[in-house]
Amino acid sequence: FLFGGLVRDILRRTVGNDIDIAFSAPAVELQAICEKAGYKCQVDGDYILVGDQHGVECLEGMVITHNGIQPSYHADFAMNWVFYDFCNDVIVDKAGSAVADILANRCSIPCARSQWPSWLEVNGCRVLFRYYKFLVRGYEHDETEMSYVAGRLLDYWSNNAQETVATGKDALGINPSDAPRVTRLRQLVFQSFALVVPAQSRDTRLKRRSTQVDLSTTSGECVDRITFFSASSWWRLGWLQVLGCSSDPHLGVL
């Protein structure tokens, strides 16, 4: 089976070289087939890598039971939870909404709202940053889902800012010199914050929380906890840290 992003891209008539697979044979059996055909392989339990991981093209994946039988909340987004079955020429849509999302260029949570906490527990805050990553690329979104993602990300930042920033740096993948994408990210940050904290409730929120801590200490190190009272402070003290910037690289110092 082809799995995930490559199936998504093919359905959108674009083809990349990030090839993920799933397979029903034991990994060692697949390794023997590949090596007989002259392909370099690495196997680790149920995982296989075919080709050079650092080369232009390679494929990797797990036995089908790793992803294929899991509930949909194990996926990051519905559009990435699709399999292509070569033998039967069938697309398997595990979430039930993946193909529709792909055709609509939409990034959505792959499960019912009642399962969103399970989705977050399985994927961690990395998936929240990836949500913004796909939206920056131009994917459509649902405002209820955006509000949930932003709210939970604010919670992560409040509980452990240093770890959240480190996760964001690894997951977001936006070059701070890419002005259009940074500008779009800023728009999304402000938009999503407004969904979580509507303007009419911000004064109440300020009164309810009595302390505010800057993300950076005088030594430049991240502190453990932070509360943001505005979209601007979230952008300046949070997201610019993720981008590795001390000030907005395209809008000047805010």
Side-chain angles (χ1 to χ4, degrees), residues 4-250:
L6 184 64
V7 181
R8 176 198 69 216
D9 292 344
I10 291 172
L11 288 173
R12 297 186 63 221
R13 301 297 187 264
T14 61
V15 180
N17 58 2
D18 181 14
I19 305 173
D20 293 320
I21 62 171
F23 45 91
S24 55
V28 291
E29 184 177 325
L30 185 58
Q31 178 186 25
I33 294 170
C34 291
E35 290 179 343
K36 184 176 180 180
Y39 294 105
K40 176 183 176 182
C41 290
Q42 299 177 38
V43 170
D44 183 4
D46 290 331
Y47 167 83
I48 190 168
L49 170 69
V50 182
D52 184 355
Q53 187 175 19
H54 304 291
V56 177
E57 292 183 343
C58 69
L59 61 85
E60 60 181 339
M62 300 286 294
V63 67
I64 189 67
T65 52
H66 178 75
N67 288 315
I69 65 173
Q70 299 294 340
S72 61
Y73 59 74
H74 279 251
D76 55 358
F77 307 110
M79 64 182 181
N80 292 334
W81 202 236
V82 282
F83 297 80
Y84 174 64
D85 179 349
F86 279 101
C87 294
N88 297 297
D89 192 24
V90 170
I91 293 173
V92 181
D93 182 346
K94 284 284 294 181
S97 59
V99 173
D101 277 1
I102 291 167
L103 297 179
N105 197 40
R106 182 171 56 239
C107 181
S108 66
I109 298 174
C111 55
R113 187 168 183 171
S114 61
Q115 294 179 318
W116 290 359
S118 298
W119 171 73
L120 186 56
E121 182 180 359
V122 169
N123 290 281
C125 79
R126 179 181 177 84
V127 77
L128 306 178
F129 283 105
R130 281 176 55 79
Y131 182 82
Y132 284 89
K133 176 181 179 178
F134 279 110
L135 265 53
V136 166
R137 292 179 178 178
Y139 283 83
E140 301 295 331
H141 67 277
D142 173 82
E143 287 197 346
T144 301
E145 294 186 353
M146 173 183 268
S147 177
Y148 178 81
V149 167
R152 299 295 75 73
L153 191 51
L154 284 163
D155 288 343
Y156 273 104
W157 239 300
S158 179
N159 291 327
N160 192 325
Q162 187 171 4
E163 184 176 308
T164 301
V165 168
T167 300
K169 286 182 176 180
D170 181 61
L172 191 61
I174 295 177
N175 190 323
S177 65
D178 189 337
R181 291 199 171 189
V182 172
T183 299
R184 178 57 180 154
L185 177 62
R186 186 179 186 275
Q187 292 170 345
L188 292 166
V189 168
F190 275 65
Q191 178 184 353
S192 59
F193 188 90
L195 291 173
V196 178
V197 190
Q200 63 268 24
S201 68
R202 288 175 197 162
D203 289 341
T204 303
R205 184 169 178 263
L206 282 167
K207 292 176 182 177
R208 187 168 62 249
R209 297 185 177 180
S210 58
T211 60
Q212 179 179 13
V213 182
D214 283 342
L215 183 63
S216 297
T217 64
T218 54
S219 65
E221 296 178 350
C222 292
V223 297
D224 287 338
R225 298 176 67 86
I226 186 167
T227 299
F228 301 105
F229 297 112
S230 68
S232 179
S233 67
W234 194 23
W235 176 250
R236 288 185 295 107
L237 302 176
W239 287 90
L240 289 183
Q241 292 279 336
V242 172
L243 291 170
C245 304
S246 58
S247 62
D248 194 299
H250 305 292

